[in-house]
Amino acid sequence: MKYLAQIDFDNFNKAIFKNGGPFVDIKTSSLGLIISEFLKYLFPLAGLLLFAYLVMGGFSYLTSGGDPKATEQAKSKVTNAIVGFVILVVAYWIVQIFGYMFGITIF
């Protein structure tokens, strides 16, 4: 019985990437390397979304006009963005630690 982590993805690569695309030159032969390649794009995207959410919260705070309900909602957005930043940094370091432990180059 083969487990998913032991499957050879060479035929998968030939079928999916034969017509070109952003992942043409990737030599993925395991599930770990595929996940590693997607993480290269996932963390920067999460960082951009986090920055946009923080800017939206700050703008909402500036334009709240002293309304207590709007001010509280804006503070909540900023707080959620900061918590998201902490979660993103911790997730990045957990991925780096697991990559080091298992010998996978992620970034």
Side-chain angles (χ1 to χ4, degrees):
M1 173 183 231
K2 279 192 167 185
Y3 296 102
L4 186 60
Q6 296 173 338
I7 295 174
D8 185 18
F9 283 96
D10 287 335
N11 290 333
F12 172 78
N13 291 336
K14 290 175 188 171
I16 299 297
F17 303 124
K18 68 180 177 183
N19 293 327
F23 306 116
V24 172
D25 58 343
I26 300 171
K27 305 237 187 288
T28 54
S29 60
S30 70
L31 182 62
L33 292 175
I34 291 172
I35 292 171
S36 173
E37 188 61 34
F38 286 123
L39 286 177
K40 286 182 184 179
Y41 300 102
L42 184 66
F43 280 119
L45 177 65
L48 289 173
L49 291 173
L50 176 73
F51 179 71
Y53 196 68
L54 184 63
V55 168
M56 288 184 341
F59 185 74
S60 296
Y61 185 74
L62 287 173
T63 59
S64 64
D67 181 23
K69 185 177 178 182
T71 303
E72 198 59 40
Q73 286 177 344
K75 284 182 182 180
S76 176
K77 282 184 184 180
V78 171
T79 302
N80 289 340
I82 291 171
V83 169
F85 175 74
V86 170
I87 290 171
L88 186 65
V89 168
V90 169
Y92 174 80
W93 284 109
I94 288 173
V95 167
Q96 291 298 319
I97 289 169
F98 277 118
Y100 179 75
M101 287 172 46
F102 295 114
I104 300 172
T105 303
I106 294 175
F107 295 108

